[in-house]
Each structure stands twice: as structure tokens, then as C-alpha cells.
Amino acid sequence: GENVEQHPSTLSVQEGDSAVIKCTYSDSASNYFPWYKQELGKGPQLIIDIRSNVGEKKDQRIAVTLNKTAKHFSLHITETQPEDSAVYFCAASTGSARQLTFGSGTQLTVLP
Amino acid sequence: DSGVTQTPKHLITATGQRVTLRCSPRSGDLSVYWYQQSLDQGLQFLIQYYNGEERAKGNILERFSAQQFPDLHSELNLSSLELGDSALYFCASSTQTGATSGNTIYFGEGSWLTVV
């Protein structure tokens, strides 16, 4: 089955700096890659996603890049703010039922 | 607020017991998914229902079962509970089946299960 690896597991940045989280996947049939943000005591919330036929997608301060050949995708957050502090999960959709396989999560801390 | 409602929010029970977690999907969503989140296993897909029928199974133990009712709400039944079953259980929903562009999967806030 699909295996998604995510790095780093923890990331601390100064407010205003950029943050990058990287994921790799194993199943070349995966074709949809969402990113979720989970705040303390809440469920994961979709923040951005990308399809396999797109190399990059941007939404304000958040961007995602996908390299299908290398089977990796990354989340980029620019001009980080304290409210960006949360756990971020990458995921890949695969299989006939298009189920999500999640990475292990990255705890992002933005220091004021 | 994602629109996915889960009850109870917290539950403490003893080993060997049985519990039922309930989920109401977002209005109009036909698919319901159950995930388990634990510290050592991360977010693991358990099972999915679409319009009342089981659509996909993940790493769900035989002691666990689920169903989706005609009104589309879903229940996850956990029996013969063990200490290792302590986790956060999420329900999620989407309009169609499967995670694809245009079919966002929305998560509830989870049910914290502690087995003592």
C-alpha cells in the first residue's frame, strides 16, 4: 500500500520567516495530495491541495509544489504568523477507493 | 466548524468494555470515514461508508465495526477494549466517495477515548 513520509517532525521558525515541510510518497498511482492543519483540540482542516497534473499551487501565503518524478511534494508557508502554529499533515490519495494515507505530521511553532 | 458532529467528545471506559461513537456528517454529504489518531500510529484510516454501504476498509480491527444509517449518520462500535485502543477517533465526511480534487474530506473534532 501507499506509504507517506513527512519531514521534519518539528519545526520552529521566527515570525515572518518561511516554513517548508516535505513529504514523499511511494505509490506512483497516487494523484491527489492534500495538506491538513490540526490545531490543538480540533480536527484536521484542509488548507490546500494539489492534483498530480499540476506542479504548483498557491493560495495567499501558502503554496504547495509537487514533483511526480521524484514522488515528493512540499508545503511552503511564507511570512509566518503565530496563528500558523499547529500540526500539519500531508496526505496522498490512492487505491481504487481513493483513500487518504497521511504522513506522520509536523509540529510547527512560530515564535513571536 | 467543519459541520461534522461527533459525540461524545470524551469517554473513559474500562478494559473489556464496549463503546459506541456517533457521527453526523455535513449536510448533504453521503460519505463517512472513520480515522484513528494515536501518538505512535498517527492518523490511520479505519473504514468508509457511502450512502449506507461499506466502501473501503483500512486498518480496522475485528473488534471494531461501523455502520451508516439511512439518515446518513454513522456509528463506530469498539468492543473488548484494550489499553492500546486509547486514541482520538475522527469521523470525516465528503459529498462523493474518495479523496479527489473537488471532493474535500472534512473532519469532525474527534472523540477522545481513554481505556483504563
Side-chain angles (χ1 to χ4, degrees), chain B residues 17-36:
Chain B
Q17 294 299 303
R18 172 190 170 96
V19 299
T20 298
L21 309 180
R22 182 188 168 100
C23 169
S24 293
R26 292 187 329 142
S27 177
D29 282 359
L30 298 177
S31 275
V32 169
Y33 312 78
W34 287 97
Y35 285 83
Q36 180 192 57

Side-chain angles (χ1 to χ4, degrees), chain A residues 3-106:
Chain A
N3 182 47
V4 177
E5 294 194 358
Q6 182 171 347
H7 301 280
S9 56
T10 60
L11 179 61
S12 291
V13 299
Q14 289 294 137
E15 183 177 357
D17 287 351
S18 295
V20 180
I21 302 171
K22 299 183 179 183
C23 290
T24 60
Y25 62 98
S26 61
D27 188 350
S28 56
S30 292
N31 63 0
Y32 171 66
F33 306 91
W35 286 87
Y36 282 82
K37 174 184 180 183
Q38 185 177 15
E39 296 176 333
L40 199 59
K42 301 204 168 184
Q45 178 184 11
L46 179 73
I47 55 172
I48 195 167
D49 57 13
I50 192 167
R51 298 180 306 202
S52 59
N53 60 349
V54 174
E56 184 173 357
K57 184 176 177 181
K58 200 171 182 180
D59 182 4
Q60 298 183 345
R61 297 185 296 108
I62 295 174
V64 57
T65 59
L66 171 66
N67 183 325
K68 274 188 65 177
T69 304
K71 288 193 241 170
H72 67 70
F73 55 115
S74 300
L75 178 71
H76 304 252
I77 306 174
T78 59
E79 300 172 23
T80 53
Q81 301 166 4
E83 50 265 39
D84 294 329
S85 295
V87 178
Y88 291 80
F89 291 96
C90 62
S93 169
T94 190
S96 59
R98 312 313 305 176
Q99 296 311 309
L100 286 178
T101 299
F102 284 87
S104 53
T106 296

Side-chain angles (χ1 to χ4, degrees), chain A residues 100 102, chain B residues 34-38 40-47 59:
Chain A
L100 286 178
F102 284 87
Chain B
W34 287 97
Y35 285 83
Q36 180 192 57
Q37 185 175 39
S38 59
D40 57 343
Q41 294 290 323
L43 265 166
Q44 297 281 317
F45 167 68
L46 296 178
I47 196 164
N59 301 321

Side-chain angles (χ1 to χ4, degrees), chain B residues 34-116:
Chain B
W34 287 97
Y35 285 83
Q36 180 192 57
Q37 185 175 39
S38 59
L39 282 175
D40 57 343
Q41 294 290 323
L43 265 166
Q44 297 281 317
F45 167 68
L46 296 178
I47 196 164
Q48 181 213 346
Y49 282 81
Y50 177 75
N51 203 20
E53 294 190 3
E54 182 183 304
R55 183 56 65 104
K57 251 183 178 178
N59 301 321
I60 188 166
L61 299 172
E62 285 191 11
R63 300 182 285 109
F64 297 179
S65 65
Q67 60 185 127
Q68 186 179 27
F69 294 87
D71 67 352
L72 301 177
H73 91 272
S74 178
E75 292 181 356
L76 179 67
N77 300 296
L78 314 174
S79 61
S80 302
L81 286 166
E82 303 174 358
L83 295 177
D85 297 327
S86 296
L88 187 54
Y89 291 85
F90 284 109
C91 173
S93 74
S94 64
T95 307
Q96 298 299 322
T97 183
T100 61
S101 177
N103 189 45
T104 301
I105 295 180
Y106 295 89
F107 283 77
E109 298 204 338
S111 292
W112 271 106
L113 172 66
T114 302
V115 182
V116 296

